[in-house]
Amino acid sequence: MNSPLHAENLESIVFDNRFVNELPGDPVKENRRHQVHGACYTRVRPAKVSSPKLLAYSAEVVKLMGLSHQTDISNNFAELFSGNRLLQNMDPYAMCYGGHQFGNWAGQLGDGRAINLGEIINARNEHWTLQLKGAGATPYSRSADGLAVLRSSIREFLCSEAMHHLGIPTTRALSLVSTGETVIRDMFYDGHPKEEPGAVVCRVSPSFIRFGNFEILTSRGETNLLQQLIDFTIRTDFPHLGKPSTATYLQWFSEICRTTAEMIIHWMRVGFVHGVMNTDNMSILGLTIDYGPYGWLENFDPNWTPNTTDSHGRRYCFKNQPHIGQWNLLQLANSIYPVINDTVPLQECLNIYTETFQKGWNEMMANKLGFNSFEPQTDNGLISELTDILQLVETDMTIFYRNLSRLNIHPDRKETTSILTPLLDAYYQPEQLTEEYKNRIGNWLQNYIHRSRQEGVSIKERCKRMNGVNPKYVLRNYIAQLAIDKAENGDPSMVSELLEVFRHPYDEQPENETFAEKRPEWARNRPGCSMLSCSS
Ligand code: AMP
Ligand code: MG
């Protein structure tokens, strides 16, 4: 792939590395695993790789970064975004954070396989941190190698961009580079390690600070540094809150409660399951971050989790995400307690989470059903009955909601075909559609049509609105896996092809109908499609 960067521009990129300039760094200079005290990061260099190749890039993110988007035959792009070449004004570092993993305090975690290159300032005067994922070991790598494999890098690259275009707050992805190195992974931790191709994703975000960055400082009793990091975060990422004070800290925390609730409502809207909602994977900006064993609900099963590591407890299954968001915020509240010293206002902020969630959830569900607003008297019953019905037989969530907009709700509708006809595509096993089932959903549809007519919007307008919140294209696991299989066989072209499809997830794309199909039978139990692990 040709480089999207113009070589002459590289040294003129403006960096303003506030995180390292304004916060204390690790006094230990060598890159060896250790506990990092009294510091927010360690300066490290990305590992050199033998033959980096650019496999895909997001032209939009290139532009957002203010990087010139000209075709250039030089190999600068791969060299830069594999970590082989550093620009003069980059100041690479790995962040120190801790986290609660699966409900238990796990101590120091940190950027074990992520290295921040620096903060770019673009033409709009925005700061964007560039971060390489899979660029080699850091002091935070614990027993692992700091590398990433191609399959998980493709998944991160595509999903970040797909989420953005679904209108969901997320970190973005600039590029996908293969390293030419092999990486050993035991994908299911079952004693079958394999050599896999290595890769590096360059992801970008206004900030990569997580709940865990604060938790680690409090766990160590480093209250001064905690306050310094909070002040820094407010100054850089929440400047509208003004000068830091106890009142500002509480406003800040309530904003995090709100944005986290909004993010999770979006996940529930599109059937996204993060898979590892540990507190170290929770962004302080309410962005979806760390795409690992995530997945999309295909048949609507609220207990589903894509993460095999979580298949027993199902802590992070679809339906638990709202509750886990709140639990994680409680951990953040505990960690900032030393600068507030009062639990009452913190609890009030946590209540904002519940209120935002409940209100947002009702509105979101009403919008999915094509209603202007949520009417508790009718809609509570409609939504809860629908949630039960969707679980009675294997029903594809995405196709069901999308096709609901095709229902003929016109008052003088002629019953020439079954009321269920527009929804038939959503069923995985048509033989499950018993008379009893058809009666139950038939009743629901009658009530739903009755309710829809009260909205007084034209059929066309209703369809347009519904299609704006019920996506046609979501990055189903099997689709990502098709791109991975091809790329592992030497042809990465499908990654760019999918990137383009998922730039318009709400549009009808007749030429890409195949990517809107429900999961084929071959993918039902295939690793990578139905089962994933953290091994990436
Ligand atoms: P995750 O479950 O991916 O959020 O990772 C949890 C922690 O493990 C983070 O501190 C990661 O940086 C670290 N980690 C995960 N995979 C690797 C790896 N291959 N090498 C080094 N550290 C890793
Ligand atoms: Mg993580």
Side-chain angles (χ1 to χ4, degrees), residues 36-39 216-227:
V36 176
H37 291 273
I216 188 73
L217 301 178
T218 306
S219 79
R220 289 172 168 164
E222 295 175 347
T223 307
N224 287 342
L225 187 50
L226 172 73
Q227 180 157 5

Side-chain angles (χ1 to χ4, degrees), residues 470-489:
N470 296 319
K472 169 118 180 178
Y473 295 94
V474 294
L475 184 62
R476 295 166 185 270
N477 284 334
Y478 87 87
I479 295 177
Q481 190 59 41
L482 290 173
I484 292 168
D485 289 344
K486 270 183 111 173
E488 286 182 344
N489 284 315

Side-chain angles (χ1 to χ4, degrees), residues 97 113 133 203 210 280-281 290:
Y97 53 81
R113 57 171 159 180
K133 188 163 174 183
R203 53 184 188 178
R210 301 137 190 273
D280 50 301
N281 291 336
D290 277 10

Side-chain angles (χ1 to χ4, degrees), residues 113 133-134 145-153 155-156 183-187 189 196-197 199 291-293 533-536:
R113 57 171 159 180
K133 188 163 174 183
D145 55 13
L147 304 175
V149 293
L150 181 60
R151 64 182 152 85
S152 42
S153 304
R155 285 171 51 83
E156 167 122 24
V183 175
I184 308 226
R185 283 290 179 273
D186 186 355
M187 188 170 166
Y189 309 118
E196 296 193 42
Y291 293 91
S533 74
C534 292
S535 162
S536 51

